[in-house]
Each structure stands twice: as C-alpha cells, then as structure tokens.
Amino acid sequence: MSGKVVVNRCMSLDGFIAGPGDSMDWGEGRALADFVDPGDFAAIAAATGAMLVGRRTWEVGDRMEAEEPGSVDYPFTGPMFLLSHRPLEPPNPGVTILSGDIGEAVATALAAAGDRDLEILGADVAGQCLQRGLVDEILVYVLPLLLGAGTPLSSSAVPKTALEPLSSTRSRDATILRFRVLARDS
C-alpha cells in the first residue's frame, strides 16, 4: 500500500502562504512550529515518507536558514526531492533533483515515501499537481494573522476543485484543516 499525495500549506487567515517577497515571517519572529502543538506537528511529520519541493520554496528555506539558523524547523528526515531544472550550488547529497514531467516526479517521490505520505511543498509544484489531478489531500495550517498581500494559496491556473472536509483541529494558536480532493473541472 502506498501513501497519499498531500499538499501541505501554512496560510494566513486572508489566504496567503507567504507574504510579499516570499516572506515567511508569521509575526514576532515566530516560526510555524511556534503556532502548532508539538505533538500535532510531530504526528504530521511522522506520516510523511518523502517530500517534493519546488525550487522557489527551497530557496526561501535556504535564505531563512542562512538568516536565522534553526528557523527551518520541520521534524522530517526522509528522502527529499527538488523539482528543478538547475542543480543545487553547492550540491546537497541528501536531495534528489527531478525535472521533466510532474507526473513522473510525483511517482518517483511517492515510491520513495513507501507506505507513508508524499508531502508537496511550493505554490507552483502544488498547482501543477492539482492541475494534473495528482493530489489526494490538502492540509492547511491556518494562522491567526492577516498578511494583506503575498502568494495566494491557489493560483488562477488551478481549476475549480471539489474538496471533502476531513478534519478541523485547533492546535495551540493554529487551526489545522484537512481536505480530500474529490474532483476537478477539466
């Protein structure tokens, strides 16, 4: 049995997954882990067998880590796949670069996840996966703030998609929403 393909997002109440300039400043120097109960955070990470990350998201994470070491705090240790047409400089032996067809990239990363979930990170990669009908679930951490501008949860390129609510959980200062993807308009 294989896991699910899960788009994982952190989002402000007004629908932004990053602020202007790809800022991941959620206020007062707080990282996502500061908003969510540590047990909930650990359980979601433990269900994740592999990650497929977009290049822009990867670069934002690198910038955050360089500016404030330890700020990229997700407790995940499985295979990492980066969807990109360019190699990393310097190379990272813990990361597999995938390019080409998004369906093939998802299949490769999902196989590496084994019976756990493949987590999709990045607005562009998630949008491509949703356009192709490759996503099983969407997980959103809704944070108690309004950003006013930035990168929206979904772009206009993503077709209308029906979702089934699976759960809504208060976790410390965040609300974790989980949806099953049912169908999309073609």
Side-chain angles (χ1 to χ4, degrees):
M1 177 176 180
S2 77
K4 301 177 295 285
V5 176
V6 180
V7 169
N8 187 325
R9 291 279 209 266
C10 180
M11 180 181 79
S12 64
L13 185 59
D14 55 350
F16 296 103
I17 60 171
D22 296 324
S23 170
M24 298 297 287
D25 178 5
W26 301 114
E28 300 172 356
R30 293 176 76 184
L32 172 60
D34 295 335
F35 287 90
V36 180
D37 180 88
D40 292 334
F41 210 50
I44 292 167
T48 302
M51 297 179 96
L52 178 61
V53 183
R55 184 63 183 236
R56 188 170 80 191
T57 299
W58 184 271
E59 289 175 353
V60 168
D62 271 358
R63 183 185 74 215
M64 289 171 53
E65 187 64 28
E67 291 171 358
E68 187 177 338
S71 62
V72 179
D73 53 6
Y74 196 54
F76 172 76
T77 57
M80 294 285 286
F81 296 89
L82 175 61
L83 191 63
S84 180
H85 297 288
R86 296 175 287 140
L88 288 174
E89 293 296 331
N92 183 331
V95 178
T96 302
I97 305 287
L98 300 174
S99 62
D101 180 71
I102 188 69
E104 292 173 14
V106 167
T108 298
L110 187 58
D115 61 351
R116 294 186 293 159
D117 296 340
L118 169 60
E119 190 169 295
I120 305 293
L121 291 179
D124 185 55
V125 174
Q128 290 179 56
C129 290
L130 284 163
Q131 288 171 343
R132 291 276 301 273
L134 302 171
V135 177
D136 298 305
E137 292 183 4
I138 299 173
L139 172 77
V140 181
Y141 301 91
V142 181
L143 304 184
L145 76 150
L146 303 171
L147 289 177
T151 303
L153 174 71
S154 179
S155 76
S156 60
V158 174
K160 180 178 175 184
T161 304
L163 305 173
E164 174 188 3
L166 296 175
S167 64
S168 172
T169 307
R170 172 79 185 266
S171 181
R172 198 183 274 176
D173 293 337
T175 301
I176 303 173
L177 304 175
R178 189 179 287 269
F179 300 91
R180 178 179 296 123
V181 176
L182 297 176
R184 65 182 182 88
D185 286 349
S186 297

